[in-house]
Amino acid sequence: METYVFTLTWTEQGLQDTRGSIVRTNEAVDTMERLGVKIFETYWTIGPFDILLVAECPDQATAQAVSLKLSRRGNVRAAAMRALDRGEMQQILDKVESLD
């Protein structure tokens, strides 16, 4: 499983019903879980993104499918970023060092 951070930004449609944000987010989590995604945390944020979801996905294709499915509903624009833990980053750094 790979860790991803999903960034969600409200569209105009989503802004028209911010009160429904928690219900819609719960529905999104249900959809994600049906695709084999494990949700760790959900945050509503102040800044360039309105909602962040931290999750584990089986693969990159699933992460992209989730982003597209969430965006198709019209309330948010969703994107997925692969997140690396310390061990994964260390493996990358070791590869870089081996090239010197």
Side-chain angles (χ1 to χ4, degrees), residues 13 16 20 37 41 47 64 69 72 85 95-96 98:
Q13 177 179 314
Q16 297 303 313
V37 175
E41 295 291 341
Q64 185 62 29
K69 180 66 174 172
R72 275 179 41 176
D85 63 23
K95 284 184 182 185
V96 170
S98 72

Side-chain angles (χ1 to χ4, degrees), residues 1-6 28-42 53-59 62-63 66:
M1 296 284 268
E2 301 172 346
T3 303
Y4 285 85
V5 176
F6 290 87
V29 166
D30 289 343
T31 297
M32 294 170 81
E33 288 175 346
R34 286 195 317 269
L35 290 169
V37 175
K38 179 181 177 186
I39 307 299
F40 292 123
E41 295 291 341
T42 304
L53 295 162
V54 181
E56 270 188 351
C57 296
D59 51 43
T62 301
V66 165

Side-chain angles (χ1 to χ4, degrees), residues 20-31:
S21 177
I22 292 175
V23 170
R24 289 193 308 270
T25 301
N26 290 340
E27 291 169 354
V29 166
D30 289 343
T31 297

Side-chain angles (χ1 to χ4, degrees), residues 7-90:
T7 60
L8 289 78
T9 306
W10 284 321
T11 62
E12 286 300 316
Q13 177 179 314
L15 283 170
Q16 297 303 313
D17 183 23
T18 54
R19 291 180 199 207
S21 177
I22 292 175
V23 170
R24 289 193 308 270
T25 301
N26 290 340
E27 291 169 354
V29 166
D30 289 343
T31 297
M32 294 170 81
E33 288 175 346
R34 286 195 317 269
L35 290 169
V37 175
K38 179 181 177 186
I39 307 299
F40 292 123
E41 295 291 341
T42 304
Y43 299 102
W44 281 259
T45 60
I46 299 168
F49 305 109
D50 297 305
I51 303 168
L52 296 177
L53 295 162
V54 181
E56 270 188 351
C57 296
D59 51 43
Q60 185 176 0
T62 301
Q64 185 62 29
V66 165
S67 293
L68 291 171
K69 180 66 174 172
L70 297 180
S71 295
R72 275 179 41 176
R73 294 180 178 171
N75 293 303
V76 294
R77 298 262 183 257
M81 295 184 294
R82 177 71 164 89
L84 306 170
D85 63 23
R86 284 187 184 106
E88 291 168 316
M89 189 61 197
Q90 187 61 57

